[in-house]
Amino acid sequence: MTMTSLPESLIATLPGDCYTDPDIFRLEQERIFESMWFCVVRSSELARPGAFKTVEVGRESILVTRSRDHSVRAFFNVCRHRGAKLCTEESGEVKRAFQCPYHAWTYDLQGKLIAAPNLTKMPDVGRTEYGLVNVHVREWLGYVWVCLADDPPSFEEDVIGDVVARLGDVAMIDQYGIADLEVGKRIVYDVKANWKLIIENFMECYHCATIHPELTEVLPEFADGYAAQYFVGHGAEFGADVKGFTVDGSEGLDRIPTVSADRQYFAVTVRPQVFINLVPDHVIFHRMYPVAADRTIVECDWLYLKEVVDSGKDVSRSVELFDRVNRQDFDACERCQPAMSSRLYAKGGVLVPSEHHIGAFHSWIHARLGTRQPQ
């Protein structure tokens, strides 16, 4: 049976080469990751002026730092002289300036060129014109988001809009006070799979009964195969005997006091690379960094009330639940990745009715890349 003669219950996925072709991945880097708002750093990691992180966004290295006025700034991590990478460390702190290790061109925390050998003999060299090149920055939910586009899209429409489309309004996520929570645990996963496979997996629950026994014990409705993301504003209910969002259903930690949904789980996808999971006592925040057509780094933060983290309370049972979910999901994605290059998958696979909403994600991919969607 060809993909042009599918029964009404099934719709086609993307073809296999969308998950393997380096040229398609380069197009995604250009038209998605380097053109949209991309979440890079937890704001608290830039606690003091001079603190910095370097991150890969698409094909570019980006330097994110906090300036002396306490605002967050981001720059292309490229010296304006000969193109040397300015900062090679993943993170660190400088006192007042960034100095290129090649020829000592030096830039302040606002990106202005402030010193270089023999610079005083070059009065025609503009200190701002030859300063670091800025990247657009926003802070939201306690994270730093950057956009490499010269003319960035609306943050309100693209980023906040994805949250509103899932939850119904922005007030729902505001209840969780995510910016004021603290990181209780961070786990970084190196996933040998295409980033779209990871998103597709997160968006559906047709697989939940098969590979997530712990999750379906806590959220029994997931065993029916319909993901919470399928319905606007819907939160999956905890099981009758479940006391908290933990690996064994036992009591969780101190509940976020402003949250009204006391026994529900909400999941949100913010395109192109963020997942947000909301439960009464913590928030699980995923950031994906696609590094190749078949490899994605996923950084996952478990966020709790400040007093929970400061007190040293044991968060392991809540961490263990979603760590298991992550590993189960990523194993499934890695199981799929090799078959994406199979001749059998050249025209793709199929989506059953509970997965049909993934078709909208595929349409979005075609629209971003300017490619033609098969009829």
Side-chain angles (χ1 to χ4, degrees), residues 96-164:
R96 293 182 178 84
F98 296 99
Q99 186 174 87
C100 178
Y102 193 5
H103 295 94
W105 278 39
T106 305
Y107 307 88
D108 68 15
L109 301 182
Q110 283 73 42
K112 183 180 178 181
L113 177 65
I114 57 172
N118 303 317
L119 183 60
T120 56
K121 298 179 180 179
M122 297 178 277
D124 56 332
V125 176
R127 303 298 183 95
T128 300
E129 181 185 358
Y130 283 89
L132 298 177
V133 176
N134 283 284
V135 171
H136 298 281
V137 175
R138 287 286 297 267
E139 286 188 85
W140 190 53
L141 304 180
Y143 285 87
V144 177
W145 310 65
V146 301
C147 183
L148 277 54
D150 292 336
D151 184 18
S154 167
F155 188 89
E156 286 70 25
E157 291 180 11
D158 279 18
V159 176
I160 299 176
D162 269 0
V163 173
V164 171

Side-chain angles (χ1 to χ4, degrees), residues 39-346:
C39 187
V40 290
V41 174
R42 183 72 179 165
S43 296
S44 59
E45 295 178 82
L46 306 173
R48 295 180 297 276
F52 70 86
K53 291 268 291 184
T54 56
V55 293
E56 300 297 317
V57 180
R59 297 162 295 182
E60 300 286 353
S61 176
I62 303 300
L63 170 63
V64 188
T65 189
R66 193 168 296 280
S67 66
R68 302 205 71 79
D69 65 2
H70 294 276
S71 65
V72 172
R73 304 293 294 267
F75 312 99
F76 286 92
N77 188 21
V78 178
C79 180
R80 298 298 306 282
H81 173 220
R82 296 273 294 281
K85 181 175 280 191
L86 190 62
C87 289
T88 55
E89 303 90 348
E90 289 186 6
S91 62
E93 189 171 321
V94 296
K95 288 186 177 180
R96 293 182 178 84
F98 296 99
Q99 186 174 87
C100 178
Y102 193 5
H103 295 94
W105 278 39
T106 305
Y107 307 88
D108 68 15
L109 301 182
Q110 283 73 42
K112 183 180 178 181
L113 177 65
I114 57 172
N118 303 317
L119 183 60
T120 56
K121 298 179 180 179
M122 297 178 277
D124 56 332
V125 176
R127 303 298 183 95
T128 300
E129 181 185 358
Y130 283 89
L132 298 177
V133 176
N134 283 284
V135 171
H136 298 281
V137 175
R138 287 286 297 267
E139 286 188 85
W140 190 53
L141 304 180
Y143 285 87
V144 177
W145 310 65
V146 301
C147 183
L148 277 54
D150 292 336
D151 184 18
S154 167
F155 188 89
E156 286 70 25
E157 291 180 11
D158 279 18
V159 176
I160 299 176
D162 269 0
V163 173
V164 171
R166 165 66 187 96
L167 298 178
D169 57 45
V170 75
M172 180 64 187
I173 200 166
D174 285 345
Q175 293 182 19
Y176 291 80
I178 298 175
D180 297 321
L181 302 180
E182 294 202 356
V183 178
K185 181 70 174 181
R186 171 174 292 170
I187 299 178
V188 179
Y189 306 87
D190 191 338
V191 187
K192 306 301 189 295
N194 184 271
W195 68 282
K196 296 185 296 297
L197 288 177
I198 298 172
I199 286 189
E200 292 161 9
N201 173 278
F202 185 72
M203 290 179 69
E204 56 91 358
C205 214
Y206 191 47
H207 68 276
C208 287
T210 308
I211 71 171
H212 293 321
E214 299 89 357
L215 185 63
T216 53
E217 281 291 320
V218 174
L219 304 173
E221 68 182 72
F222 275 11
D224 295 331
Y226 281 91
Q229 292 192 68
Y230 191 82
F231 309 100
V232 176
H234 176 72
E237 294 279 352
F238 291 3
D241 298 327
V242 171
K243 295 180 180 180
F245 197 73
T246 57
V247 70
D248 55 4
S250 58
E251 196 75 42
L253 294 148
D254 298 6
R255 180 180 159 190
I256 302 168
T258 48
V259 171
S260 59
D262 63 347
R263 291 180 52 78
Q264 288 178 295
Y265 160 86
F266 298 85
V268 184
T269 301
V270 181
R271 296 167 296 182
Q273 44 84 245
V274 168
F275 305 146
I276 307 171
N277 306 272
L278 307 169
V279 292
D281 65 327
H282 64 282
V283 171
I284 307 158
F285 201 103
H286 295 69
R287 284 168 285 149
M288 291 195 301
Y289 296 87
V291 294
D294 59 356
R295 182 175 175 226
T296 308
I297 302 299
V298 183
E299 201 166 280
C300 187
D301 291 341
W302 280 260
L303 306 170
Y304 302 87
L305 290 171
K306 184 179 187 303
E307 51 266 34
V308 169
V309 176
D310 288 348
S311 70
K313 287 185 179 180
D314 183 9
V315 301
S316 61
R317 284 177 294 115
S318 58
V319 170
E320 185 178 354
L321 174 57
F322 225 86
D323 181 40
R324 288 194 192 184
V325 171
N326 283 338
R327 294 178 191 280
Q328 291 157 353
D329 281 338
F330 300 154
D331 179 70
C333 293
E334 290 181 341
R335 185 183 294 269
C336 291
Q337 183 65 40
M340 298 298 102
S341 56
S342 168
R343 70 181 72 180
L344 187 66
Y345 211 80

